[in-house]
Amino acid sequence: MATMDDMSDMESDGDQELHLNEEVNNTDFYALLNVGKDATLEEIVKSYKAKCRVFHPDRYTDQENKETAQRVFVQIQRAYEVLSDPTQRAVYDTLGASGLEVSGFELVTRSSNPDNIRREYEFLKRLRNNEVMMQRTHPGSNFLIKANFIGIFEREPEYRYAPYILGMGISQSVDCLMTSSDRVGLIGKVKAGNGLGEGSIVGSWKRSLNDRFHIEGYVSSTPNACSISGKAARAIGNKTAIILQPSLNYQYGAPTPDLQIALALSRSLGSTMQGTITYGWSVLNGSVSLTTQILKNEANLPKYIGSITLSPMNTNVRGVYHKRWASNDAHLETSCSVSFFGAAPAFNYERKLSKYTKISWGLSFTYPTCLLITKFRLRMGMHTYEFQGVLCDDQELAARAGIYGVIIPTFAFILAKNIFRRPFQRLMRLFEDEPEARQVDPMQREEAQNVIRLLRDTADRIIQAEMRVGGLIITEAKYGQMESTRAYPVMGERVIDVTVSLQSMVHDSQLRVVNSKSHIPGFYDPCPGEDKMLHIKYQFNNKMHSVTVPDGMAVKIPQPEHEIF
């Protein structure tokens, strides 16, 4: 029986894990080493060794400086470990730090300020409580509206009519962890369309007997039918699994229920390939189907999927392609199904708006019926809001619906986004999950100040060496809220001085600064969520130079065009 002390230890361990995950997921490894994303292994090793010479804890005797150096040194080691390994680097480039299984970090106190320590503790406590609740219940909801826009694309004005709602639906779900191996779920749905309404309820039970055997059971009911279904998955060896999925469906008023059975054999075909063959059989009508599928993974996520289904009802070939970008957590999915009845291409693009909010836009087209549907989806935490619009269902209107319903609105949106950039940014801020996310992290600020103090001696030595050869001396460097004009940069109120940090990075009278500058040691983000720039004034060959660059652009100095005349 677990004691209160045991439970406290478990919570403490969970808090530490959350602390580490939050810190690692927000770190840019390329910026830590000050290398570009196309850097070679040789460049990574060279930068890593240079950083170690500056931040190795053994170089410092003062205890506070030693602790600061230790914190930065641990992050530099982790960055080098990931970027020097081709496999880990590919995962990091695709998914970011969240795609890595983080291990090896030691939890270190990032702040000596009592207020910061208390604030961090309260934050982790709230985060832990929310995470525990979500892990136990997994609540979710979905709201869907479907509308008809076909009438506005009619050629003749007298045949045009206003859009109208085709239907809407709402669903709520919960998935509770009952024991260490059992989960129980419940899903309720209601929908209405064309003056008619209906609903359904689905109960589920999932149990993992061990790491090689998993079973699931489902019971569902609608006004017209009910069903019982199950799933049993068994691993055979390290590369093969067998999956059995029986279901019993009964339509109210029908003489007999229909028993359907699906049997699948899945096998690993290599480190990134997986093949599956599925046999389906319906007892009531005697229909059978055979599906074979090949899946190629990249960074443990699907990249390509190809399948062929042979069935008297619908023989088809289907292909799916996935593309992901780690920078904004974006995902593009394109697919196409081809059968004897026609073809159905589709695509869906999803990207992150904030930490817990994502937006997506999709388009699907069916030929020869020429059914064109556009979809917009907003995911906020565990809640999803979706809007579907039918643009066309006739071949004669397909071209007009494609031009006026898809192409022109897309270009108009891109143009308006660039013209009204600041109002658009203010609109996007409405989707921020927490107001605190737009505030400066006091611990990051304190850590940056500690690093600057640590680097001051190194910067002074470099200045002395550069002065002897007429080399590169950073006279002023500001990072933060800035706007540039034709003649000079205009700084906002929220900027930080990064002169010492940049001077300590000078080597052989050269300095290269990558993008994601707020992750460079000695930097922090003074204005979260706003545009930032880096302004540098420097002396080279006893002549003054100046350069201002946006946050997302790398800069290399000295350059002749930077000279001030």
Side-chain angles (χ1 to χ4, degrees):
M1 182 176 178
T3 65
M4 293 298 294
D5 290 340
D6 295 334
M7 295 177 66
S8 299
D9 292 341
M10 292 171 63
E11 291 181 0
S12 177
D13 293 341
D15 287 347
Q16 292 185 11
E17 182 179 353
L18 288 171
H19 188 155
L20 294 177
N21 288 341
E22 185 75 16
E23 182 173 345
V24 171
N25 290 344
N26 291 333
T27 301
D28 188 319
F29 292 156
Y30 290 100
L32 272 175
L33 297 181
N34 194 34
V35 296
K37 292 190 175 182
D38 57 348
T40 64
L41 180 59
E42 182 181 357
E43 292 172 334
I44 292 172
V45 172
K46 181 180 178 180
S47 178
Y48 169 68
K49 291 181 178 179
K51 294 291 184 184
C52 287
R53 286 194 292 269
V54 175
F55 291 104
H56 199 288
D58 293 345
R59 297 185 68 252
Y60 304 93
T61 56
D62 181 79
Q63 185 61 32
E64 188 174 356
N65 287 344
K66 184 183 287 288
E67 291 176 357
T68 301
Q70 174 68 26
R71 290 193 289 270
V72 180
F73 187 67
V74 167
Q75 296 183 20
I76 290 172
Q77 284 184 311
R78 178 57 174 163
Y80 174 72
E81 176 188 336
V82 172
L83 300 185
S84 62
D85 183 282
T87 302
Q88 293 192 64
R89 184 177 180 180
V91 174
Y92 178 75
D93 288 343
T94 305
L95 303 173
S98 60
L100 300 166
E101 291 197 8
V102 182
S103 61
F105 275 103
E106 294 183 13
L107 182 65
V108 293
T109 304
R110 296 190 298 166
S111 176
S112 59
N113 186 304
D115 291 336
N116 289 344
I117 294 175
R118 177 181 52 80
R119 189 181 294 107
E120 180 183 14
Y121 170 77
E122 294 296 335
F123 169 75
L124 289 175
K125 185 178 179 180
R126 293 195 304 269
L127 187 63
R128 179 61 178 173
N129 291 338
N130 290 337
E131 184 184 69
V132 169
M133 183 194 70
M134 291 299 180
Q135 287 179 344
R136 290 178 177 174
T137 61
H138 282 277
S141 66
N142 183 72
F143 179 69
L144 169 67
I145 294 180
K146 190 172 184 178
N148 188 320
F149 292 89
I150 298 176
I152 63 177
F153 300 114
E154 291 285 350
R155 294 180 183 276
E156 303 299 332
E158 59 268 22
Y159 293 119
R160 294 173 187 165
Y161 53 89
Y164 62 90
I165 301 296
L166 288 173
M168 62 178 60
I170 301 175
S171 68
Q172 295 281 341
S173 65
V174 64
D175 188 23
C176 301
L177 181 65
M178 306 302 293
T179 67
S180 59
S181 58
D182 293 274
R183 300 193 73 94
V184 174
L186 187 66
I187 303 175
K189 299 180 181 179
V190 292
K191 61 181 181 179
N194 298 324
L196 301 176
E198 62 177 271
S200 65
I201 186 169
V202 180
S204 65
W205 169 67
K206 303 175 183 178
R207 181 178 177 84
S208 296
L209 300 178
N210 50 55
D211 59 350
R212 306 182 68 83
F213 189 47
H214 178 79
I215 57 176
E216 299 178 6
Y218 300 90
V219 177
S220 65
S221 177
T222 68
N224 301 317
C226 62
S227 68
I228 301 175
S229 61
K231 176 181 178 181
R234 171 73 180 183
I236 303 175
N238 296 326
K239 296 185 176 181
T240 306
I242 295 180
I243 304 170
L244 177 65
Q245 294 180 276
S247 65
L248 186 65
N249 306 306
Y250 179 68
Q251 296 284 338
Y252 298 141
T256 58
D258 181 21
L259 175 64
Q260 297 179 354
I261 298 176
L263 180 64
L265 175 66
S266 180
R267 181 172 176 80
S268 175
L269 305 178
S271 59
T272 61
M273 300 284 289
Q274 182 176 348
T276 303
I277 184 169
T278 304
Y279 175 78
W281 174 51
S282 174
V283 175
L284 186 63
N285 54 30
S287 64
V288 296
S289 65
L290 184 66
T291 301
T292 180
Q293 174 181 284
I294 299 293
L295 182 148
K296 179 176 174 57
N297 288 319
E298 183 179 81
N300 297 322
L301 292 172
K303 181 71 172 180
Y304 305 99
I305 302 175
S307 65
I308 300 176
T309 299
L310 302 177
S311 169
M313 304 296 294
N314 183 23
T315 296
N316 65 83
V317 178
R318 187 170 188 264
V320 182
Y321 169 74
H322 296 267
K323 174 67 176 177
R324 295 176 173 84
W325 294 268
S327 57
N328 55 2
D329 197 12
H331 173 214
L332 173 66
E333 176 183 343
T334 58
S335 65
C336 184
S337 296
V338 179
S339 68
F340 293 113
F341 302 102
F347 86 90
N348 187 79
Y349 176 77
E350 181 180 69
R351 63 157 295 170
K352 181 174 68 174
L353 287 180
S354 63
K355 187 173 182 180
Y356 300 107
T357 305
K358 292 185 176 181
I359 190 171
S360 66
W361 174 54
L363 199 66
S364 63
F365 181 73
T366 304
Y367 181 82
T369 58
C370 293
L371 180 63
L372 180 62
I373 299 178
T374 185
K375 303 176 182 179
F376 297 91
R377 181 183 294 130
L378 179 67
R379 300 190 185 200
M380 304 180 68
M382 307 294 290
H383 309 289
T384 302
Y385 306 89
E386 184 173 348
F387 177 82
Q388 297 183 6
V390 180
L391 305 181
C392 174
D393 63 354
D394 182 84
Q395 189 171 359
E396 295 182 359
L397 300 178
R400 289 178 58 85
I403 295 174
Y404 294 106
V406 178
I407 298 177
I408 292 181
T410 300
F411 280 101
F413 171 77
I414 296 174
L415 183 62
K417 180 181 175 182
N418 286 277
I419 294 177
F420 305 103
R421 186 177 180 183
R422 291 196 175 277
F424 182 80
Q425 290 177 344
R426 288 195 292 268
L427 176 63
M428 291 298 100
R429 290 172 190 168
L430 298 176
F431 298 98
E432 291 289 345
D433 304 286
E434 296 289 345
E436 293 83 357
R438 304 191 57 81
Q439 298 179 1
V440 176
D441 188 336
M443 283 174 291
Q444 289 183 1
R445 177 169 52 201
E446 182 182 345
E447 183 72 9
Q449 293 170 351
N450 292 337
V451 172
I452 292 295
R453 187 181 64 251
L454 193 73
L455 295 174
R456 195 171 299 279
D457 290 341
T458 301
D460 290 341
R461 288 196 300 270
I462 293 176
I463 289 175
Q464 296 299 324
E466 294 293 325
M467 288 179 64
R468 287 193 291 269
V469 297
L472 177 60
I473 299 175
I474 309 297
T475 58
E476 182 185 55
K478 300 289 186 180
Y479 173 72
Q481 189 182 29
M482 294 188 186
E483 295 181 358
S484 60
T485 66
R486 292 184 178 180
Y488 54 89
V490 178
M491 299 188 209
E493 296 180 355
R494 291 183 288 175
V495 296
I496 59 175
D497 191 317
V498 292
T499 307
V500 173
S501 180
L502 293 186
Q503 185 66 65
S504 67
M505 296 165 57
V506 173
H507 180 69
D508 291 338
S509 298
Q510 290 189 344
L511 172 65
R512 182 176 184 270
V513 185
V514 300
N515 49 10
S516 300
K517 300 174 183 63
S518 61
H519 296 275
I520 296 174
F523 283 59
Y524 69 92
D525 191 346
C527 49
E530 298 188 28
D531 290 337
K532 288 171 281 292
M533 303 184 76
L534 175 64
H535 175 59
I536 306 174
K537 288 183 178 180
Y538 63 94
Q539 181 177 312
F540 181 70
N541 285 338
N542 298 318
K543 297 179 180 179
M544 291 303 300
H545 297 67
S546 178
V547 60
T548 302
V549 296
D551 189 34
M553 180 182 297
V555 59
K556 184 177 181 180
I557 58 176
Q559 297 290 343
E561 57 268 24
H562 297 165
E563 185 176 348
I564 302 175
F565 296 99

